[in-house]
């Protein structure tokens, strides 16, 4: 029963991880931009949700689309005004640019929101589904807020998947992902596609932030932790695909959970990083890695 | 309290002291170096310490300064932000000693950074007052210039274990989850010792890594071990997350102790009803009642002055920030000189009656002279449950 509970914990955590990583993976895969801002975007989404809940009483799950919208606009503006200027430069230049922007945003949040740790405490709390209440022999428990956050995150991921498959913009993004020069020749406005892609990545970060706000403490500098996870997940799952982020997230969540059980909580990361290194050696494209988005 | 206000406050204080300094320009101010984690993971604590320093400095300067023999000298604090990175704290301590040539130093935040920076203070023979170093390991290098106002970690675990033993006789099994970091781990080990000493069975003891984002596996194991008393050590973000995940996994226990966080209002705000009945120990609390011979007069007056300046009740980190100031001031005034050797001698002698408590240091420089209060969150408020003389309530059992 302990193993089943750990597996449930791992899958729930993995779902949250996937939701952290999917926007990052999209931007990296399509634009070849390692967006260091991604973690800070998640934190900004979480703060927006926090103030929407404490100030206006809007539930974070209801607020998630609005957080996505705000971050979409911010992401579009950032891409159009800053990143598009250096998009053709080597990856190190865009990386440094987004790193600088992340420092800026982090410190701005530090000044505006102060360094205090906050968290959305839902009133009333969503509680847990305790299976032993109905089946006394099954001692398993599922926290409802984690489950709900994960399911809502999956809805956003499904929306992204649908958008990429069935809309003109989506097909253009996929086309650019496959071959940006061929796409230009076919009449795709790559500048606009870049901006929309980056904005979509930011929107997913914003939604993720809102969905995570009842779960993790919020502080201006939490972005780096999220970013680190997104990195690992992308390499684990394979870059630039929705399914890759999902699989990468779930694998990392389950690995960390069992790693903590078998090797002690202080070594849960050791196991996941060992697997990461092995994958880099033997399967550098990741578990689901292949060219072409979706 | 946000950073903007702090900055404005600091600026205003600097301007005010500049005006006062202009009036008595003959005497140079006494300069104290203070490396602080004003940004980065420890910035909440860094800002709290700075508030403590500033309140002391402004109060002293408003009274004309520190009496050095027959003249009064103003106080100037030279701040550097070490961005929550210990190696940087050491570099900045070095800079304060050699470049800024400060007269005295306050230690950085926490046991680890204090131990690292104390090496610099020792090399340049500058007395360093550490506001937040409680682990005995900090003081085991035989240094002569390090003085800490926090009593050792076992002064937190021992009274807590006593209370549990006395008030909750059904508590037999103990689980401990400690952050793998100098102070939280040392504290976890003290709790293990204190529990075993009283015949309690430690059924779980594990460490978690710094920056852990998920405690579900550890807590699932703890739940399976069926402890009556759960102890978690770490800093505020760790403990908010652990408390939340305990609820996620339906963990209930007769007693839950978390150090260091529940003494902060932020912890109560972030965890809501989950904070109820969580116990903690801390070195100071606004409920303590010490009469003092320092610039504040008493703990009650200290709280009033703090509240007037920052519009919030002081917590133990604010208070210990002010405590290093008052101890240094009293030592200088007793020595009648800012000569480091003479000030060090008076610090060694001890016997300082401060609003923070009576302060005397042991042979290695750690405070040994007061009893830190034990606190429980009851009805969303921090209530002192020990020692008897200042207690506002009794231990409540049951955390769900």
């Amino acid at each position: 029963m302990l193993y089943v509970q750990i597996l449930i914990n791992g899958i729930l955590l993995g779902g949250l991880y996937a939701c952290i990583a999917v926007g990052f993976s999209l931007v990296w895969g399509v634009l070849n931009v390692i967006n260091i801002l991604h973690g800070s975007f998640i934190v900004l989404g979480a703060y927006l949700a926090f103030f929407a809940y404490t100030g206006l009483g809007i539930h974070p799950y209801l607020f998630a689309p609005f957080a996505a919208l705000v971050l979409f606009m911010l992401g579009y503006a950032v891409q159009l005004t800053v990143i598009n200027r250096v998009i053709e430069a080597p990856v190190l230049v865009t990386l440094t640019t987004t790193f600088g922007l992340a420092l800026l945003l982090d410190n701005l949040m530090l000044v505006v929101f102060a360094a205090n740790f906050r968290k959305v405490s839902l009133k009333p709390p969503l509680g847990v589904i305790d299976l032993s209440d109905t089946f006394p022999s099954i001692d398993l428990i599922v926290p409802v807020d984690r489950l709900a956050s994960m399911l809502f995150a999956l809805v956003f991921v499904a929306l992204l998947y649908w958008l990429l498959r069935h809309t003109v913009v989506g097909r253009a993004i996929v086309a650019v992902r496959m071959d940006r020069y061929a796409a230009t020749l076919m009449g795709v406005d790559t500048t606009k596609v870049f901006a929309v892609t980056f904005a979509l990545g930011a929107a997913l970060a914003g939604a993720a932030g809102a969905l995570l706000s009842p779960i993790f403490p919020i502080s201006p500098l939490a972005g780096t932790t999220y970013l680190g996870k997104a990195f690992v997940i992308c390499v684990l799952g394979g870059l630039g695909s929705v399914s890759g982020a999902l699989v990468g997230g779930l694998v990392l969540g389950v690995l960390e959970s069992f790693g903590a059980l078998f090797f002690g909580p202080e070594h849960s990361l050791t196991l996941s990083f060992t697997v990461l290194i092995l994958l880099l050696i033997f399967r550098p494209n990741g578990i689901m890695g292949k060219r072409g988005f979706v | 309290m946000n950073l903007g206000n702090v900055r404005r406050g600091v600026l205003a204080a600097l301007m005010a002291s500049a005006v006062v300094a202009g009036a008595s320009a003959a005497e140079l101010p006494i300069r104290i170096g203070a490396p602080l984690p004003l940004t980065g993971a420890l910035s909440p604590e860094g800002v709290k310490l700075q508030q403590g320093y500033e309140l002391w400095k402004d109060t002293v300067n408003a009274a004309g300064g520190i009496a050095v023999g027959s003249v009064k000298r103003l106080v100037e604090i030279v701040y550097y932000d070490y961005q929550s990175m210990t190696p940087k704290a050491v570099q900045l301590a070095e800079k304060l000693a050699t470049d800024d040539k400060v007269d005295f130093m306050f230690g950085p935040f926490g046991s680890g950074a204090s131990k690292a920076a104390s090496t610099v203070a020792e090399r340049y023979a500058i007395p360093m007052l550490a506001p937040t170093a409680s682990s005995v390991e900090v003081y085991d290098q035989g240094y002569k210039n390090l003085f800490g106002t926090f009593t050792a970690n076992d002064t937190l675990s021992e009274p807590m274990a006593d209370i549990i033993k006395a008030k909750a006789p059904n508590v037999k099994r103990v689980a401990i989850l400690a952050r793998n970091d100098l102070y939280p781990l040392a504290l976890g080990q003290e709790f293990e010792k204190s529990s075993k000493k009283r015949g309690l069975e430690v059924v779980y003891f594990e460490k978690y890594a710094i920056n852990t984002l998920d405690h579900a596996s550890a807590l699932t194991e703890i739940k399976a071990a069926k402890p009556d008393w759960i102890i978690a050590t770490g800093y505020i973000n760790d403990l908010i997350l652990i408390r939340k995940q305990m609820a996620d996994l339906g963990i209930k226990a007769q007693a839950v102790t978390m150090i260091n966080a529940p003494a902060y209002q932020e912890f109560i705000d972030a965890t809501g009803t989950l904070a109820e009945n969580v116990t903690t120990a801390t070195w100071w609390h606004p409920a303590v009642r010490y009469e003092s011979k320092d610039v504040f007069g008493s703990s009650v007056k200290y709280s009033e002055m703090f509240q007037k300046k920052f519009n919030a009740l002081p917590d133990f980190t604010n208070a210990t920030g002010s405590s290093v100031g008052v101890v240094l001031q009293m030592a200088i005034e007793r020595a009648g000189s800012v000569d480091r050797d003479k000030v060090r001698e008076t610090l060694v002698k001890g016997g300082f009656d401060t609003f923070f408590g009576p302060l005397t240091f042991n042979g290695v420089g750690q405070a040994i002279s007061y009893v830190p209060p034990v606190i429980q969150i009851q009805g969303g408020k921090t209530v002192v449950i020990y020692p008897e003389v200042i207690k506002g309530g009794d231990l409540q059992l049951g955390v769900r």
Side-chain angles (χ1 to χ4, degrees):
Chain A
M1 209 55 86
L2 181 70
Y3 293 123
V4 183
Q5 179 69 54
I6 299 278
L7 184 67
I8 292 174
N9 299 344
I11 290 171
L12 286 175
L13 181 66
L16 301 180
Y17 280 173
C19 134
I20 289 170
V22 69
F24 181 72
S25 168
L26 176 75
V27 171
W28 195 355
V30 177
L31 274 62
N32 198 26
V33 169
I34 299 174
N35 180 20
I36 307 291
L37 259 175
H38 189 75
S40 313
F41 279 159
I42 295 177
V43 174
L44 186 59
Y47 269 113
L48 292 176
F50 175 82
F51 288 112
Y53 188 68
T54 51
L56 307 169
I58 305 171
H59 199 285
Y61 297 148
L62 285 179
F63 185 76
F66 296 99
L69 188 69
V70 174
L71 268 294
F72 183 91
M73 293 191 287
L74 180 65
Y76 196 87
V78 168
Q79 175 71 26
L80 218 53
T81 53
V82 184
I83 297 173
N84 264 347
R85 291 172 193 275
V86 291
I87 194 90
E88 296 293 336
V91 73
L92 197 64
V93 174
T94 49
L95 183 125
T96 320
T97 310
T98 56
F99 178 64
L101 289 172
L103 283 181
L104 210 69
L105 181 57
D106 284 357
N107 281 291
L108 205 65
M109 291 195 290
L110 199 60
V111 171
V112 178
F113 303 133
N116 297 351
F117 288 91
R118 302 166 205 246
K119 203 176 78 56
V120 171
S121 312
L122 296 174
K123 284 177 199 115
L126 294 179
V128 293
I129 302 169
D130 194 341
L131 291 176
S132 66
D133 289 347
T134 8
F135 312 100
S137 57
I138 303 174
D139 185 18
L140 292 175
I141 199 159
V142 180
V144 178
D145 52 7
R146 281 193 174 225
L147 185 65
S149 292
M150 178 183 157
L151 293 177
F152 279 112
L154 290 180
V155 170
F156 280 100
V157 173
L159 273 176
L160 175 70
Y161 188 81
W162 173 82
L163 192 129
L164 291 175
R165 289 221 99 145
H166 299 289
T167 65
V168 177
V169 182
R171 296 321 289 168
I173 292 174
V174 177
V176 172
R177 160 81 167 103
M178 285 171 167
D179 191 328
R180 104 172 30 161
Y181 301 106
T184 316
L185 286 175
M186 294 299 128
V188 175
D189 182 351
T190 43
T191 315
K192 212 172 230 170
V193 168
F194 286 156
V196 170
T197 312
F198 192 83
L200 277 175
L204 287 164
L211 296 174
L212 296 178
S213 65
I215 294 170
F216 296 122
I218 309 164
S219 77
L221 302 161
T224 42
T225 315
Y226 294 136
L227 185 74
K229 295 288 177 202
F231 241 109
V232 177
I233 293 159
C234 283
V235 178
L236 269 180
L239 211 51
S241 77
V242 174
S243 52
L246 266 181
V247 170
L250 287 173
V251 168
L252 184 68
V254 173
L255 269 179
E256 279 189 10
S257 298
F258 279 99
L261 180 68
F262 293 134
F263 304 108
E266 83 263 46
H267 295 306
S268 74
L269 290 176
T270 319
L271 181 69
S272 50
F273 276 102
T274 310
V275 173
L276 183 73
I277 290 166
L278 291 177
L279 264 177
L280 281 174
I281 296 169
F282 296 109
R283 206 180 151 81
N285 285 334
I287 300 168
M288 305 290 286
K290 59 173 193 280
R291 271 193 81 75
F293 206 80
V294 183
Chain B
M1 185 85 248
N2 64 36
L3 272 180
N5 284 345
V6 174
R7 296 224 172 96
R8 274 196 292 280
V10 173
L11 203 64
L14 280 175
M15 289 194 303
S17 53
V19 172
V20 183
S24 58
E27 284 299 330
L28 290 169
I30 298 171
R31 303 177 81 221
I32 303 163
L36 280 178
L38 295 174
T39 56
L42 296 173
S43 58
E45 280 85 357
V47 170
K48 282 173 197 290
L49 276 182
Q50 191 176 34
Q51 290 175 332
Y53 295 164
E54 283 295 303
L55 178 61
W56 166 70
K57 188 195 77 181
D58 290 350
T59 313
V60 176
N61 286 348
I66 298 181
V68 186
S70 56
V71 288
K72 284 208 162 185
R73 289 179 62 180
L74 294 174
V75 174
E76 181 191 331
I77 302 179
V78 185
Y79 291 108
Y80 285 119
D81 174 19
Y82 67 86
Q83 297 164 3
S84 305
M85 291 184 280
T86 300
K88 198 151 188 176
V90 179
Q91 284 171 12
L92 290 171
E94 187 96 30
K95 177 170 160 45
L96 284 164
T98 57
D99 198 16
D100 298 293
K101 298 193 169 42
V102 293
D103 299 299
F104 303 98
M105 270 201 247
F106 293 154
F109 178 80
S111 290
S114 296
K115 181 166 185 170
S118 65
T119 310
V120 177
E122 189 70 14
R123 193 181 319 136
Y124 297 100
I126 302 172
M128 174 183 263
L129 288 113
T132 57
S134 63
S135 304
V136 290
E137 292 83 351
V138 177
Y139 303 89
D140 64 3
Q141 301 172 103
Y143 287 171
K144 294 182 172 61
N145 288 284
L146 180 64
F147 299 90
T149 54
F150 274 1
T151 53
N153 291 331
D154 63 353
T155 63
L156 301 188
S157 64
E158 285 285 301
M160 187 77 81
D162 271 339
I163 296 170
I164 296 283
K165 190 74 186 164
K167 302 275 168 69
N170 292 333
V171 168
K172 303 269 186 272
R173 299 162 69 84
V174 182
I176 301 169
L177 182 60
R179 174 173 156 124
N180 197 1
D181 203 353
L182 199 158
Y183 157 72
L185 183 58
L187 185 62
Q189 286 160 344
E190 286 304 332
F191 269 102
E192 188 181 25
K193 278 188 222 157
S194 297
S195 303
K196 285 183 174 164
K197 211 157 108 185
R198 286 162 185 79
L200 304 174
E201 187 189 354
V202 177
V203 292
Y204 181 93
F205 186 105
E206 283 289 354
K207 301 170 277 210
Y208 63 89
I210 298 166
N211 284 336
T212 296
L213 205 53
D214 186 77
H215 299 277
S217 291
L219 292 170
T220 304
E221 275 192 275
I222 287 181
K223 189 184 183 190
K226 297 192 174 30
D228 307 306
W229 182 19
I230 299 170
I231 297 152
T233 72
Y235 296 110
I236 187 159
N237 53 330
D238 306 315
L239 297 177
I240 292 173
L241 189 58
I242 290 175
R243 184 63 195 95
K244 171 71 174 67
Q245 289 206 279
M246 282 172 65
D248 285 351
L249 292 162
I251 296 178
K252 300 176 181 85
Q254 291 192 53
V256 173
T257 298
M258 295 188 147
I259 299 180
N260 276 355
Y264 294 146
Q265 186 59 38
E266 288 163 73
F267 178 84
I268 303 172
D269 291 342
T271 51
T273 50
L274 297 180
E276 205 55 23
N277 284 356
V278 171
T279 48
T280 189
T282 172
W283 290 270
W284 191 89
H285 185 274
V288 302
R289 294 284 177 272
Y290 297 114
E291 291 299 320
S292 62
K293 292 179 186 136
D294 57 27
V295 67
F296 295 111
S298 72
S299 350
V300 177
K301 281 188 199 143
Y302 175 76
S303 296
E304 282 167 8
M305 290 170 84
F306 188 93
Q307 200 153 18
K308 210 168 143 193
K309 189 171 169 71
F310 296 109
N311 217 1
L313 272 178
D315 58 38
F316 69 96
T317 307
N318 298 132
T320 192
S322 302
S323 81
V324 288
V326 300
V327 170
L328 180 62
Q329 179 186 4
M330 291 166 103
I332 293 172
E333 288 178 348
R334 279 186 204 174
S337 157
V338 290
D339 181 80
R340 288 173 185 159
D341 295 329
K342 288 185 182 150
V343 173
R344 191 184 308 111
E345 274 170 36
T346 53
L347 283 169
V348 169
K349 276 185 200 145
F352 303 99
D353 288 318
T354 76
F355 77 94
F356 193 75
L359 286 173
T360 294
F361 308 99
N362 63 11
V364 290
Q366 184 164 27
I368 42 164
S369 44
Y370 63 97
V371 181
V374 176
I375 286 167
Q376 184 168 43
I377 295 162
Q378 298 177 0
K381 296 263 182 301
T382 53
V383 175
V384 174
I385 55 172
Y386 177 87
E388 289 290 326
V389 281
I390 55 162
K391 81 172 184 187
D394 283 308
L395 176 73
Q396 306 286 323
L397 290 176
V399 175
R400 43 204 306 120

